[in-house]
Amino acid sequence: MTEISLPIADTLRDRARAALGSRNLILVGLMGAGKSSVGRIVALQLGIPFVDTDLEIERVSRMTIPELFAAYGEEEFRALETRVIRRLLRHGPRVVSTGGGAFINERTRHHLKQGGLSVWLKADLDVLWDRVNKRDNRPLLKTENPRQTLENLMISRYPIYAEADLTVQSRDVRKEQMAKEILAAIVDPADESRENDQ
């Protein structure tokens, strides 16, 4: 009986691409975690399409996210988000960057869990605040104390984000380094040192 030898992928990119297969890679986490900016690099490295669900929602609705929130409220926005995400997940593989609240919504989370491999980009409050307080386009942070609002979102959402298949710590390093860590997580999901390696 002859042994069949499979070709061994040499690079981290090739190994990650093989491990992902035809599944979508879904990035979840709070606003400012780097889902879009790092997600684009990951998609480029894997050689698969990138899609940002917030941009897709804006494209199909012909309204910005803040305009949708103002006109229809969060509940209607979440319903639209679920429909758009469900449609996007039908095709793969691709890197899918989700809005901060997508994984929190139970129906949407069900579709995301069925639709691919989810990675939580987990970040500390200071990192997130430093990234989001420079822009005024976050509807959920239009409060009297936006930093406290962000911290409250972390407290309520982090236990739910923890349901993602993988966790990678988002911190102040180059985006290419974050992308490399995501690829490493796909290849070796059991390596818990990524989350604690700060």
Side-chain angles (χ1 to χ4, degrees):
M1 186 167 145
T2 51
E3 190 177 314
I4 299 171
S5 64
L6 297 172
I8 297 171
D10 293 331
T11 67
L12 176 61
R13 182 200 69 202
D14 292 341
R15 294 196 317 269
R17 185 67 190 84
L20 188 61
S22 62
R23 296 178 294 174
N24 290 303
L25 181 66
I26 302 160
L27 302 180
V28 303
L30 265 181
M31 59 186 90
K35 301 181 300 288
S36 295
S37 57
V38 175
R40 282 186 181 85
I41 296 169
V42 172
L44 193 62
Q45 290 179 348
L46 290 174
I48 59 177
F50 170 81
V51 63
D52 182 311
T53 61
D54 280 352
L55 293 179
E56 186 64 14
I57 290 165
E58 290 183 341
R59 188 186 71 76
V60 299
S61 67
R62 297 189 178 135
M63 296 174 76
T64 66
I65 302 296
E67 287 170 346
L68 285 164
F69 265 79
Y72 300 108
E74 185 172 3
E75 190 175 333
E76 280 301 311
F77 171 78
R78 295 297 171 205
L80 172 61
E81 182 177 56
T82 300
R83 291 192 300 273
V84 168
I85 286 174
R86 216 167 88 202
R87 178 178 53 79
L88 290 173
L89 293 176
R90 287 189 191 132
H91 308 285
R94 54 172 63 162
V95 175
V96 180
S97 167
T98 63
F103 202 71
I104 304 308
N105 180 290
E106 191 174 350
R107 282 185 59 211
T108 310
R109 185 166 66 252
H110 170 77
H111 294 302
L112 291 168
K113 285 182 172 186
Q114 301 297 312
L117 181 69
S118 56
V119 179
W120 173 25
L121 294 184
K122 181 181 182 182
D124 295 330
L125 178 61
D126 289 340
V127 170
L128 293 175
W129 179 247
D130 188 51
R131 292 173 181 172
V132 301
N133 76 357
K134 296 170 185 159
R135 292 164 61 194
D136 189 31
N137 64 340
R138 310 283 186 176
L140 293 179
L141 295 185
K142 293 192 183 301
T143 62
E144 196 173 305
N145 186 343
R147 184 182 166 96
Q148 184 61 55
T149 301
L150 184 60
E151 185 173 2
N152 293 344
L153 286 169
M154 288 176 70
I155 292 165
S156 65
R157 291 181 175 185
Y158 273 26
I160 299 171
Y161 290 142
E163 294 181 28
D165 298 312
L166 303 168
T167 300
V168 173
Q169 189 73 31
S170 179
R171 57 204 193 287
D172 283 327
V173 295
R174 294 180 66 232
K175 293 180 179 105
E176 290 78 12
Q177 174 63 28
M178 286 300 313
K180 183 179 176 185
E181 291 178 20
I182 291 170
L183 296 183
I186 297 168
V187 171
D188 186 9
D191 182 4
E192 294 296 322
S193 65
R194 282 181 314 276
E195 187 179 340
N196 303 318
D197 179 23
Q198 299 184 44

